[in-house]
Amino acid sequence: MVRTATKATNSSNSRSENSNLDPKYPTGPVDAYAEAVINGEFIAGPHVRNACRRHRDDRINGPARGVHWDPDAAERVFRFFKKVLRLNGGQFEGREFLLHPSQQFIVGSLFGWKRVESDGALLRRFRRAYIEQGKGNGKSPLAAGIGHYCMIADGEAAAEIYAAAANKDQAFVLFRDAVAMYEQSPKLKQAITPSGCNPVWNLAFMKRRSFFRPISREGAHSGPRPYVALCDEIHEHPDGRVIEMLERGFKFRRQPLLFMITNSGSDRKTICWDEHQHAVKVAAGTATPDDEFTYVGEVVDDTTFSYVCALDKGDDPFTDPTCWQKANPLFGITLKHDYLQSVVDQARNIPSKRNGILRLHFCEWTEADTNWIPRPILDKVMAEFDPYEEHKGKPINAAGLDLSGSKDLTAAAFVVETGTKRVTREDGSEADLPTYDAWIEAWTPRDTMDERSKVDHVPYRLWNETFHKDAAGEDTDQPFIHAPDGQRIRYDHVAALFARLNTEHGINVLAYDNYAFDRFEEELDGYGVTIETVSHPQGGKRRAKPSEEKVEAAKANDEDPPLGLWMPGSVAELEALILEERIRLRASPVLLSALMGVAMETDPLMGNQWFSKKKSTIRIDPAVALAMAVGAAVDGAPVPHQSVYRTRGFVEI
């Protein structure tokens, strides 16, 4: 069980240096929480365990480097929360803000740790705090409470407190919690003067000329001089400009605080991922943590406080509820078991929601915000085989082509029908539906391959130097990715492959997107090759027009007018093939990476979904090409299967 394993992990890292601690240790809630986590009495993930070990180590070794623990300062903040602040909403309406032990650890650490400055002043140690927790663990109310304390009770003259976010609407989310606290608390109402009405846009503490207000990048016209900056939902910040703007203003303050709160994200090219990585290293006490995040205890950054919730390696929140608390320290208080169980059930039943649930509720940094197909399901349809040997002389039912210029991958996908499989439908009826083999080929420019590997976080060179295997496990002469010389994709290499396959197999139809396809056709013409083509737009708002042949055939057979190809239909067809295990995909890290990194976009009116290159954090061109090829193959297959192109009533645009 996870609880037992967690205790073993925590206990094994307990230190014998307790004898060096203050004989009164633990001296309060912060010390007590740290010890409870280290000893396994509180279940916590690896980074929180490390933060607690760091706290205890600093209680032992901190004074030697000018870092001191002030339990009275921590207790003062605790009293403020309890006596002054009131919560709002639902079951907590009007109740005292009684800090949970995990919140006491956060708040107490921020205000209890002090350091000696070069001029001898004893000021707050931590100037930055990064808090990453699951959704619903009270991050915003906690931040609002800190803002109120620093405005009216921390002794700073003309304190500027900002609720900051990537945009104005998000900034107001946190600030509304601060306003609600003001409205609920008699003591705050006596001390604070609001400005504005529906919404209130400023809270002022006139006695000290201090204020608390929201701020965003578009709303900051002059340089702020913040005392405390409360930055909400860092994972939604497109860049670091807001944080940079606020930290520039810190030069006017002796003990400023940047308090960052967030859920986990899905984009590793953001300021949030950078802050996450730094916080993890700070807690572990090493700039190079291992996969287990083993605690080392070196001083990486003495001014940053880290509280990063996460699961341990090997934890599965979908099968083991005992790990839920690692990502949700307020589990059982703000988040009840029944609620999280319903969320887990939803992830099981709706695969496209899985990644969002992992990210929001279980602190897992996902490859995309919305997971399309979970890895275990993809693994069931991935196989080692050589399609050029197995299907020698057999026609390729359809191909899909996604062309690129210098940055994206160029990808082609090929689909061959292999037989039928009996499938039980939702209504209990059975039908024999077609099965397919599919594979992709991908190209990237060799001259920029290494540079783009660093940006895209994928090993292009390794993929180019590693080869596919056949069904017997023997290497073929086919690399996972082709890398022609140059800084741009050479379409003659792509056309050469199509010419060869059309000669050896025959390609019934090629589904294409308009981008650069005229240039590809010129290269294809150079090889004297003619392939029937069909337009296949890649977005979710536009459908291709059906061919005249299909229109005439439908009229002749007195059938409904045919519909053209589009991405929502093709994605739905590919999803059905994978879930029903009616397709075999040639194992490839290039394809697997693309399928796992797919981000989905949804039409809010019709509920249609399609692959979104804009939202995806990695190159998904192989997945796009595969969907195009599958859509063309299924749409043209005369089988007893009602394609979504014929049954979902999509409107042609």
Side-chain angles (χ1 to χ4, degrees):
M1 297 295 288
V2 173
R3 181 182 291 271
T4 303
T6 302
K7 284 187 176 181
T9 300
N10 292 348
S11 299
S12 66
N13 284 278
S14 296
R15 288 178 172 264
S16 60
E17 296 99 327
N18 273 337
S19 58
N20 297 328
L21 285 166
D22 186 321
K24 297 180 181 179
Y25 183 87
T27 59
V30 178
D31 291 341
Y33 177 81
E35 287 302 302
V37 167
I38 293 170
N39 295 328
E41 296 169 25
F42 272 121
I43 293 179
H47 313 312
V48 173
R49 295 198 300 269
N50 284 343
C52 291
R53 295 183 184 112
R54 178 197 189 197
H55 173 83
R56 187 170 64 179
D57 273 6
D58 287 344
R59 295 281 275 113
I60 300 168
N61 305 312
R65 63 176 192 277
V67 173
H68 301 276
W69 176 243
D70 183 352
D72 293 335
E75 285 291 343
R76 185 168 184 264
V77 187
F78 298 159
R79 289 194 300 271
F80 179 87
F81 269 76
K82 179 180 179 180
K83 294 183 177 182
V84 176
L85 301 181
R86 294 293 180 269
L87 297 169
N88 70 94
Q91 60 180 314
F92 301 105
E93 183 75 12
R95 289 172 55 177
E96 294 178 337
F97 199 145
L98 300 176
L99 291 167
H100 181 268
S102 65
Q103 294 175 322
Q104 289 180 321
F105 180 74
I106 293 170
V107 174
S109 295
L110 293 179
F111 293 92
W113 277 109
K114 305 292 180 65
R115 67 174 180 179
V116 179
E117 298 289 296
S118 58
D119 61 358
L122 190 63
L123 302 176
R124 276 202 304 270
R125 166 192 178 184
F126 292 121
R127 308 301 170 88
R128 307 176 97 247
Y130 180 84
I131 316 299
E132 186 176 319
Q133 297 175 330
K135 184 179 178 65
N137 282 274
K139 296 185 294 294
S140 294
L142 183 67
I146 290 173
H148 278 302
Y149 176 82
C150 290
M151 179 172 64
I152 69 176
D154 204 32
E156 182 79 1
E160 297 182 16
I161 315 297
Y162 292 101
N167 56 65
K168 182 178 179 181
D169 290 340
Q170 187 62 52
F172 263 99
V173 171
L174 191 157
F175 185 67
R176 278 196 294 270
D177 277 324
V179 173
M181 282 182 178
Y182 153 78
E183 292 172 341
Q184 291 283 345
S185 169
K187 292 187 177 181
L188 288 183
K189 294 199 81 168
Q190 290 176 4
I192 291 175
T193 302
S195 298
C197 179
N198 196 26
V200 172
W201 57 268
N202 187 74
L203 297 171
F205 182 50
M206 298 297 191
K207 184 177 179 180
R208 301 288 291 182
R209 295 176 291 109
S210 301
F211 64 76
F212 190 168
R213 66 179 58 155
I215 192 173
S216 61
R217 183 173 57 180
E218 64 265 29
H221 301 298
S222 60
R225 298 183 176 186
Y227 179 51
V228 172
L230 310 166
C231 289
D232 196 11
E233 300 294 11
I234 304 299
H235 73 278
E236 294 186 1
H237 287 223
D239 50 46
R241 294 183 192 178
V242 172
I243 291 175
E244 291 171 6
M245 171 189 69
L246 294 167
E247 288 193 300
R248 281 198 301 269
F250 283 170
K251 62 180 177 286
F252 300 102
R253 308 286 182 177
R254 295 211 67 183
Q255 52 177 10
L257 175 63
L258 174 68
F259 187 74
M260 296 173 281
I261 56 175
T262 190
N263 299 128
S264 301
S266 60
D267 188 347
R268 287 169 169 78
K269 301 174 185 176
T270 60
I271 184 66
C272 188
W273 177 248
D274 292 342
E275 295 289 354
H276 167 93
Q277 290 283 79
H278 182 64
V280 165
K281 294 172 183 177
V282 165
T286 174
T288 56
D290 59 23
D291 289 344
E292 305 292 337
F293 299 101
T294 304
Y295 181 69
V296 177
E298 298 171 354
V299 179
V300 174
D301 178 354
D302 235 352
T303 65
T304 293
F305 174 76
S306 166
Y307 192 93
V308 181
C309 293
L311 303 181
D312 279 288
K313 187 177 181 180
D315 283 342
D316 183 0
F318 298 124
T319 61
D320 185 4
T322 63
C323 69
W324 292 354
Q325 191 165 0
K326 294 180 182 180
N328 301 281
L330 269 63
F331 179 55
I333 300 173
T334 59
L335 290 167
K336 301 299 184 182
H337 182 279
D338 289 348
Y339 171 74
L340 278 184
Q341 186 63 60
S342 69
V343 166
V344 166
D345 292 342
Q346 189 180 63
R348 290 197 191 104
N349 296 328
I350 309 174
S352 62
K353 291 185 177 290
R354 184 182 177 100
N355 256 24
I357 288 169
L358 283 171
R359 182 179 68 79
L360 291 173
H361 292 288
F362 299 113
C363 294
E364 181 170 322
W365 277 78
T366 57
E367 293 298 329
D369 190 40
T370 303
N371 185 226
W372 175 54
I373 297 289
R375 174 68 181 268
I377 295 177
L378 286 175
D379 285 341
K380 291 181 180 180
V381 298
M382 289 278 183
E384 303 280 6
F385 65 97
D386 185 347
Y388 305 118
E389 285 297 321
E390 284 197 31
H391 301 302
K392 183 179 292 186
K394 189 174 182 179
I396 294 172
N397 293 68
L401 181 61
D402 184 19
L403 295 167
S404 66
S406 58
K407 293 184 178 180
D408 290 345
L409 303 180
T410 281
F414 305 92
V415 177
V416 173
E417 189 172 342
T418 57
T420 61
K421 177 182 178 180
R422 177 143 293 196
V423 174
T424 302
R425 292 169 166 165
E426 292 182 2
D427 61 3
S429 63
E430 294 185 341
D432 291 324
L433 302 181
T435 58
Y436 301 92
D437 275 355
W439 67 98
I440 64 104
E441 299 283 359
W443 294 261
T444 192
R446 179 175 295 276
D447 291 6
T448 60
M449 184 166 57
D450 295 327
E451 178 184 343
R452 285 181 297 101
S453 285
K454 298 176 183 177
V455 175
D456 295 346
H457 304 290
V458 291
Y460 290 130
R461 182 169 295 279
L462 177 63
W463 288 349
N464 176 244
E465 296 173 352
T466 309
F467 296 89
H468 281 286
K469 296 184 182 297
D470 59 22
E474 300 294 329
D475 281 345
T476 66
D477 60 353
Q478 304 148 25
F480 287 126
I481 194 168
H482 306 282
D485 292 334
Q487 296 187 356
R488 296 182 62 84
I489 293 296
R490 291 179 53 181
Y491 294 152
D492 58 331
H493 285 252
V494 183
L497 175 68
F498 273 83
R500 178 173 67 82
L501 295 185
N502 194 54
T503 300
E504 296 176 355
H505 300 266
I507 300 174
N508 293 348
V509 63
L510 166 60
Y512 70 92
D513 180 69
N514 286 331
Y515 176 79
F517 189 70
D518 54 346
R519 290 163 50 199
F520 173 76
E521 280 192 305
E522 291 175 3
E523 297 291 349
L524 208 56
D525 289 343
Y527 285 99
V529 175
T530 300
I531 300 174
E532 181 182 343
T533 60
V534 58
S535 176
H536 192 308
Q538 290 186 1
K541 304 291 180 66
R542 187 167 61 89
R543 181 195 292 281
K545 291 183 178 180
S547 66
E548 289 298 327
E549 292 80 2
K550 284 192 174 183
V551 172
E552 292 302 322
K555 287 181 180 179
N557 296 323
D558 197 25
E559 297 175 347
D560 292 335
L563 299 174
L565 296 173
W566 76 334
M567 191 55 71
S570 295
V571 167
E573 295 289 5
L574 177 56
E575 180 178 290
L577 291 179
I578 293 173
L579 294 179
E580 294 170 359
E581 297 181 37
R582 292 194 291 115
I583 192 169
R584 185 175 63 152
L585 302 176
R586 189 184 198 188
S588 162
V590 183
L591 177 58
L592 182 61
S593 173
L595 291 173
M596 290 301 298
V598 156
M600 303 297 289
E601 196 159 346
T602 303
D603 180 347
L605 181 62
M606 300 295 292
N608 302 322
Q609 290 190 314
W610 61 94
F611 296 161
S612 173
K613 287 187 177 181
K614 183 178 180 180
K615 292 185 177 181
S616 298
T617 59
I618 63 173
R619 308 296 179 190
I620 64 167
D621 310 87
V624 171
L626 178 63
M628 294 168 69
V630 164
V634 172
D635 186 56
V639 296
H641 165 57
Q642 286 298 303
S643 165
V644 295
Y645 285 104
R646 303 180 180 92
T647 61
R648 292 196 177 181
F650 295 144
V651 177
E652 184 176 329
I653 298 175

